[in-house]
Amino acid sequence: MENVTFDYPAWTVNDSDGLCNISLSPEEVLSHTYIHSIICAFGLIGNVLVMITYGFYKTTKTMTDVYLFNVAVADLIFVVALPLIAHNEQNGWPMGSVACKMLRSAYSINLYSGMLLLACISCDRYIAIVQARRSFGSRSHAVMYSRLICSAVWVFALFLTLPTLIYTELFEEHDLIELSSTLTCELTFKHRKTAELMKVMVPSLQMAVGFLLPLVVMVFCYSSIMCTLLKAHNSQRHKAIRVVWAVVVVFIMCHFPYNVTLLIHTVFLFMERSCEEEKTRLTVLATSRSIAYLHCCLNPVLYAFIGVKFRSHFRKILSDLWCFGKKYLYSARLSCGTSEVCISGLRTSEGSNIMSSFSA
């Protein structure tokens, strides 16, 4: 039985030259490395702060809070795996088959869970604004329902990731020009029919569940929310409408190019392609995929830092960090004085100045 790889083969048919190398150029690899490093840095900082704020500082939880915490967890899983994925792609795959499966599955889990949770957030906001009379009852019941929904989303995301987890294997890729071989981590199949099925099913699930379904839900919910806000006589409605527009536009700008490119790639998968066409298609696919990755570091800004309540809790984190630094850099006498009241190592007068400097 022959092994058939799902990911793009290192060689493709060219009418004039026979075989050609379609791997990314060193310049493209370097640019993607820089982009992924920026995504990893900002995504790590933003999502960790969101988790700390909602996990330890925000005592009164809402359904959206629980959803945002889980979105941050999903994004954090991916940004932690991203540098390891990039390193292994550039240097072969020295980390073994278990790491191969886990790291390749990280993106799928983030995609399905993150996108579905964003759809849940839009539904929660729709019920709170458009269907204001409907309620999940008390706060404790609402939080319980949201946790059950999040658990169901995670189970569903893991189920959809099973094909990637099962079929991802280490594959020895041979360079027929350089007469060398490298160890890569790709979806690999022993039967051609299984390969043909998975080549269509995996990207189709990504486009349908990871993009189209959340997009339809978000467009419906946020369109209804905007109509309700336009009818409301509220001084803050214009700001709320701008936030709604930002959420939808950023989602489309990040994920639409990659999904369109993925659709085109899937359509041409079983057709004969020239070398130059395949090079161009894979370059566009890699670039649009990096743009889609950006969404994981924009989520904290769009869904958390814009909120006034979240910013107030975030200022509390900064004041506590300031206290922590003062405690170890200065003595208690210098940091608090002898006649002033110190809360968590910070003078109340100094704390109020810091708090006011971060006010909206």
Side-chain angles (χ1 to χ4, degrees):
M1 293 181 293
E2 62 175 329
N3 287 340
V4 183
T5 59
F6 168 80
D7 269 349
Y8 324 108
W11 311 96
T12 187
V13 176
N14 184 294
D15 294 335
S16 59
D17 300 327
L19 293 173
C20 68
N21 191 349
I22 60 172
S23 59
L24 297 177
S25 65
E27 293 77 13
E28 291 173 325
V29 172
L30 185 62
S31 63
H32 289 156
T33 301
Y34 284 134
I35 293 172
H36 293 166
S37 300
I38 294 172
I39 293 172
C40 182
F42 284 96
L44 186 66
I45 294 172
N47 288 291
V48 166
L49 287 174
V50 170
M51 291 175 62
I52 292 174
T53 302
Y54 284 121
F56 299 100
Y57 283 80
K58 200 171 188 302
T59 55
T60 304
K61 301 290 192 301
T62 64
M63 293 187 72
T64 297
D65 294 340
V66 177
Y67 294 143
L68 285 173
F69 181 85
N70 282 268
V71 170
V73 171
D75 288 340
L76 189 63
I77 291 173
F78 175 67
V79 297
V80 169
L82 183 58
L84 298 175
I85 295 173
H87 173 76
N88 281 279
E89 286 179 344
Q90 296 174 27
N91 302 279
W93 199 273
M95 295 180 63
S97 59
V98 176
C100 168
K101 288 179 176 291
M102 297 302 294
L103 294 178
R104 283 295 184 185
S105 300
Y107 174 69
S108 295
I109 293 175
N110 164 263
L111 175 72
Y112 293 124
S113 60
M115 297 302 101
L116 292 174
L117 287 168
L118 294 183
C120 291
I121 292 174
S122 65
C123 291
D124 182 50
R125 291 180 173 179
Y126 170 82
I127 293 173
I129 297 175
V130 180
Q131 304 290 337
R133 294 182 179 181
R134 296 186 180 182
S135 175
F136 283 96
S138 64
R139 180 180 63 84
S140 59
H141 288 166
V143 173
M144 180 187 67
Y145 289 137
S146 61
R147 288 173 178 169
L148 289 175
I149 294 172
C150 289
S151 299
V153 167
W154 281 106
V155 171
F156 187 52
L158 289 172
F159 174 76
L160 294 176
T161 307
L162 282 179
T164 302
L165 186 63
I166 293 172
Y167 292 108
T168 299
E169 300 287 350
L170 291 178
F171 177 76
E172 191 173 5
E173 190 175 66
H174 298 281
D175 190 329
L176 301 181
I177 295 178
E178 300 292 337
L179 298 178
S180 61
S181 61
T182 56
L183 203 61
T184 60
C185 180
E186 298 176 353
L187 286 174
T188 306
F189 310 96
K190 295 181 179 180
H191 303 283
R192 183 171 298 276
K193 289 185 177 180
T194 305
E196 292 175 352
L197 175 63
M198 291 299 168
K199 283 181 179 181
V200 176
M201 189 182 75
V202 171
S204 298
L205 282 174
Q206 289 186 9
M207 287 182 284
V209 182
F211 176 69
L212 289 178
L213 177 60
L215 178 63
V216 170
V217 173
M218 290 173 67
V219 168
F220 170 77
C221 292
Y222 287 128
S223 298
S224 302
I225 289 172
M226 288 182 63
C227 292
T228 302
L229 291 174
L230 288 172
K231 296 176 182 177
H233 300 284
N234 192 310
S235 59
Q236 298 294 322
R237 70 172 186 175
H238 295 295
K239 180 181 178 181
I241 291 173
R242 286 196 298 269
V243 172
V244 169
W245 269 111
V247 168
V248 176
V249 170
V250 169
F251 181 87
I252 294 175
M253 289 181 64
C254 287
H255 293 282
F256 184 75
Y258 174 59
N259 281 273
V260 170
T261 309
L262 186 61
L263 176 62
I264 295 173
H265 175 79
T266 305
V267 170
F268 285 94
L269 203 56
F270 299 104
M271 300 180 184
E272 185 176 346
R273 293 99 71 192
S274 68
C275 183
E276 290 302 320
E277 288 176 346
E278 189 70 2
K279 281 184 178 179
T280 302
R281 190 173 294 114
L282 294 183
T283 300
V284 174
L285 188 65
T287 303
S288 60
R289 184 168 53 237
S290 297
I291 295 173
Y293 290 169
L294 280 171
H295 201 234
C296 69
C297 58
L298 295 176
N299 280 335
V301 178
L302 291 172
Y303 289 92
F305 288 100
I306 289 179
V308 176
K309 291 182 179 179
F310 181 89
R311 290 203 305 270
S312 67
H313 292 291
F314 179 66
R315 290 195 293 267
K316 181 67 170 62
I317 294 178
L318 294 179
S319 65
D320 284 354
L321 289 175
W322 176 269
C323 289
F324 183 79
K326 296 280 282 185
K327 178 180 179 181
Y328 286 93
L329 290 177
Y330 303 100
S331 66
R333 182 182 180 85
L334 291 176
S335 62
C336 294
T338 57
S339 59
E340 292 178 285
V341 178
C342 181
I343 302 176
S344 300
L346 181 67
R347 287 192 298 265
T348 54
S349 58
E350 189 175 2
S352 61
N353 292 332
I354 293 176
M355 296 286 282
S356 60
S357 65
F358 288 94
S359 59

PDB file of all heavy atoms in Angstrom, residues 7 45 62 76 101 137 148 159 167 176 212 219 281 353:
ATOM      1  N   ASP A   7      -0.829  17.195   2.374  1.00  0.00           N
ATOM      2  CA  ASP A   7      -0.254  18.504   2.158  1.00  0.00           C
ATOM      3  C   ASP A   7       0.412  18.559   0.792  1.00  0.00           C
ATOM      4  O   ASP A   7       0.693  17.546   0.174  1.00  0.00           O
ATOM      5  CB  ASP A   7       0.759  18.847   3.250  1.00  0.00           C
ATOM      6  CG  ASP A   7       0.096  19.576   4.400  1.00  0.00           C
ATOM      7  OD1 ASP A   7      -1.062  19.973   4.222  1.00  0.00           O
ATOM      8  OD2 ASP A   7       0.733  19.726   5.448  1.00  0.00           O
ATOM      9  N   ILE A  45       0.551  38.032  24.752  1.00  0.00           N
ATOM     10  CA  ILE A  45       0.331  39.076  25.756  1.00  0.00           C
ATOM     11  C   ILE A  45      -1.163  39.369  25.918  1.00  0.00           C
ATOM     12  O   ILE A  45      -1.699  39.394  27.037  1.00  0.00           O
ATOM     13  CB  ILE A  45       1.091  40.359  25.370  1.00  0.00           C
ATOM     14  CG1 ILE A  45       2.599  40.117  25.412  1.00  0.00           C
ATOM     15  CG2 ILE A  45       0.714  41.512  26.312  1.00  0.00           C
ATOM     16  CD1 ILE A  45       3.414  41.270  24.853  1.00  0.00           C
ATOM     17  N   THR A  62     -20.529  37.119  33.432  1.00  0.00           N
ATOM     18  CA  THR A  62     -21.663  37.030  32.526  1.00  0.00           C
ATOM     19  C   THR A  62     -21.386  35.919  31.516  1.00  0.00           C
ATOM     20  O   THR A  62     -20.295  35.350  31.484  1.00  0.00           O
ATOM     21  CB  THR A  62     -21.893  38.355  31.790  1.00  0.00           C
ATOM     22  OG1 THR A  62     -20.750  38.627  30.954  1.00  0.00           O
ATOM     23  CG2 THR A  62     -22.073  39.511  32.773  1.00  0.00           C
ATOM     24  N   LEU A  76      -4.730  31.146  22.780  1.00  0.00           N
ATOM     25  CA  LEU A  76      -3.448  30.925  23.450  1.00  0.00           C
ATOM     26  C   LEU A  76      -2.846  29.576  23.058  1.00  0.00           C
ATOM     27  O   LEU A  76      -1.626  29.459  22.892  1.00  0.00           O
ATOM     28  CB  LEU A  76      -3.632  31.006  24.966  1.00  0.00           C
ATOM     29  CG  LEU A  76      -2.352  31.018  25.800  1.00  0.00           C
ATOM     30  CD1 LEU A  76      -1.527  32.259  25.482  1.00  0.00           C
ATOM     31  CD2 LEU A  76      -2.669  30.972  27.285  1.00  0.00           C
ATOM     32  N   LYS A 101       1.590  15.421  15.665  1.00  0.00           N
ATOM     33  CA  LYS A 101       0.128  15.341  15.734  1.00  0.00           C
ATOM     34  C   LYS A 101      -0.458  16.473  16.567  1.00  0.00           C
ATOM     35  O   LYS A 101      -1.458  17.112  16.182  1.00  0.00           O
ATOM     36  CB  LYS A 101      -0.290  13.996  16.322  1.00  0.00           C
ATOM     37  CG  LYS A 101      -0.076  12.797  15.407  1.00  0.00           C
ATOM     38  CD  LYS A 101      -0.504  11.519  16.103  1.00  0.00           C
ATOM     39  CE  LYS A 101      -0.393  10.315  15.185  1.00  0.00           C
ATOM     40  NZ  LYS A 101      -1.392  10.355  14.084  1.00  0.00           N
ATOM     41  N   GLY A 137     -32.396  33.644  33.194  1.00  0.00           N
ATOM     42  CA  GLY A 137     -32.673  33.600  34.620  1.00  0.00           C
ATOM     43  C   GLY A 137     -31.599  34.327  35.400  1.00  0.00           C
ATOM     44  O   GLY A 137     -31.103  35.367  34.994  1.00  0.00           O
ATOM     45  N   LEU A 148     -21.741  25.132  30.004  1.00  0.00           N
ATOM     46  CA  LEU A 148     -22.187  23.931  29.294  1.00  0.00           C
ATOM     47  C   LEU A 148     -22.036  24.107  27.787  1.00  0.00           C
ATOM     48  O   LEU A 148     -21.597  23.184  27.079  1.00  0.00           O
ATOM     49  CB  LEU A 148     -23.648  23.628  29.644  1.00  0.00           C
ATOM     50  CG  LEU A 148     -23.922  23.126  31.063  1.00  0.00           C
ATOM     51  CD1 LEU A 148     -25.430  22.998  31.297  1.00  0.00           C
ATOM     52  CD2 LEU A 148     -23.237  21.782  31.308  1.00  0.00           C
ATOM     53  N   PHE A 159     -13.866  16.785  18.078  1.00  0.00           N
ATOM     54  CA  PHE A 159     -14.402  15.788  17.149  1.00  0.00           C
ATOM     55  C   PHE A 159     -14.043  16.143  15.707  1.00  0.00           C
ATOM     56  O   PHE A 159     -13.637  15.272  14.918  1.00  0.00           O
ATOM     57  CB  PHE A 159     -15.917  15.696  17.316  1.00  0.00           C
ATOM     58  CG  PHE A 159     -16.582  14.801  16.313  1.00  0.00           C
ATOM     59  CD1 PHE A 159     -16.508  13.415  16.425  1.00  0.00           C
ATOM     60  CD2 PHE A 159     -17.295  15.342  15.244  1.00  0.00           C
ATOM     61  CE1 PHE A 159     -17.119  12.585  15.495  1.00  0.00           C
ATOM     62  CE2 PHE A 159     -17.912  14.525  14.317  1.00  0.00           C
ATOM     63  CZ  PHE A 159     -17.813  13.147  14.442  1.00  0.00           C
ATOM     64  N   TYR A 167      -4.628  11.203  11.066  1.00  0.00           N
ATOM     65  CA  TYR A 167      -3.897  10.967   9.826  1.00  0.00           C
ATOM     66  C   TYR A 167      -2.597  11.762   9.706  1.00  0.00           C
ATOM     67  O   TYR A 167      -1.860  11.577   8.737  1.00  0.00           O
ATOM     68  CB  TYR A 167      -4.785  11.272   8.624  1.00  0.00           C
ATOM     69  CG  TYR A 167      -5.923  10.300   8.470  1.00  0.00           C
ATOM     70  CD1 TYR A 167      -7.236  10.681   8.744  1.00  0.00           C
ATOM     71  CD2 TYR A 167      -5.704   8.995   8.061  1.00  0.00           C
ATOM     72  CE1 TYR A 167      -8.293   9.795   8.608  1.00  0.00           C
ATOM     73  CE2 TYR A 167      -6.741   8.087   7.932  1.00  0.00           C
ATOM     74  CZ  TYR A 167      -8.031   8.497   8.204  1.00  0.00           C
ATOM     75  OH  TYR A 167      -9.064   7.609   8.072  1.00  0.00           O
ATOM     76  N   LEU A 176      14.331  15.424  -5.495  1.00  0.00           N
ATOM     77  CA  LEU A 176      14.919  14.701  -6.621  1.00  0.00           C
ATOM     78  C   LEU A 176      16.002  15.490  -7.327  1.00  0.00           C
ATOM     79  O   LEU A 176      16.780  14.921  -8.095  1.00  0.00           O
ATOM     80  CB  LEU A 176      13.820  14.322  -7.620  1.00  0.00           C
ATOM     81  CG  LEU A 176      12.694  13.433  -7.073  1.00  0.00           C
ATOM     82  CD1 LEU A 176      11.699  13.117  -8.165  1.00  0.00           C
ATOM     83  CD2 LEU A 176      13.253  12.160  -6.462  1.00  0.00           C
ATOM     84  N   LEU A 212     -17.962  29.880   7.329  1.00  0.00           N
ATOM     85  CA  LEU A 212     -19.286  30.246   6.828  1.00  0.00           C
ATOM     86  C   LEU A 212     -20.349  30.266   7.920  1.00  0.00           C
ATOM     87  O   LEU A 212     -21.138  31.216   8.011  1.00  0.00           O
ATOM     88  CB  LEU A 212     -19.699  29.280   5.709  1.00  0.00           C
ATOM     89  CG  LEU A 212     -18.943  29.427   4.387  1.00  0.00           C
ATOM     90  CD1 LEU A 212     -19.408  28.383   3.388  1.00  0.00           C
ATOM     91  CD2 LEU A 212     -19.136  30.827   3.803  1.00  0.00           C
ATOM     92  N   VAL A 219     -23.303  37.877  11.064  1.00  0.00           N
ATOM     93  CA  VAL A 219     -23.953  38.883  10.213  1.00  0.00           C
ATOM     94  C   VAL A 219     -25.409  39.067  10.616  1.00  0.00           C
ATOM     95  O   VAL A 219     -25.905  40.200  10.728  1.00  0.00           O
ATOM     96  CB  VAL A 219     -23.830  38.488   8.730  1.00  0.00           C
ATOM     97  CG1 VAL A 219     -24.737  39.359   7.865  1.00  0.00           C
ATOM     98  CG2 VAL A 219     -22.387  38.610   8.262  1.00  0.00           C
ATOM     99  N   ARG A 281      -0.189  29.698  -6.433  1.00  0.00           N
ATOM    100  CA  ARG A 281      -1.310  29.312  -5.577  1.00  0.00           C
ATOM    101  C   ARG A 281      -0.842  29.055  -4.148  1.00  0.00           C
ATOM    102  O   ARG A 281      -1.494  29.464  -3.180  1.00  0.00           O
ATOM    103  CB  ARG A 281      -2.001  28.078  -6.154  1.00  0.00           C
ATOM    104  CG  ARG A 281      -3.329  27.748  -5.469  1.00  0.00           C
ATOM    105  CD  ARG A 281      -4.050  26.625  -6.182  1.00  0.00           C
ATOM    106  NE  ARG A 281      -4.473  27.032  -7.519  1.00  0.00           N
ATOM    107  CZ  ARG A 281      -3.996  26.528  -8.640  1.00  0.00           C
ATOM    108  NH1 ARG A 281      -3.073  25.579  -8.609  1.00  0.00           N
ATOM    109  NH2 ARG A 281      -4.440  26.947  -9.801  1.00  0.00           N
ATOM    110  N   ASN A 353      -3.719  58.303  40.789  1.00  0.00           N
ATOM    111  CA  ASN A 353      -3.149  58.957  39.629  1.00  0.00           C
ATOM    112  C   ASN A 353      -2.965  57.987  38.477  1.00  0.00           C
ATOM    113  O   ASN A 353      -3.204  58.313  37.321  1.00  0.00           O
ATOM    114  CB  ASN A 353      -1.793  59.594  39.983  1.00  0.00           C
ATOM    115  CG  ASN A 353      -1.943  60.765  40.931  1.00  0.00           C
ATOM    116  OD1 ASN A 353      -2.972  61.432  40.930  1.00  0.00           O
ATOM    117  ND2 ASN A 353      -0.933  61.009  41.752  1.00  0.00           N
TER     118      ASN A 353
END
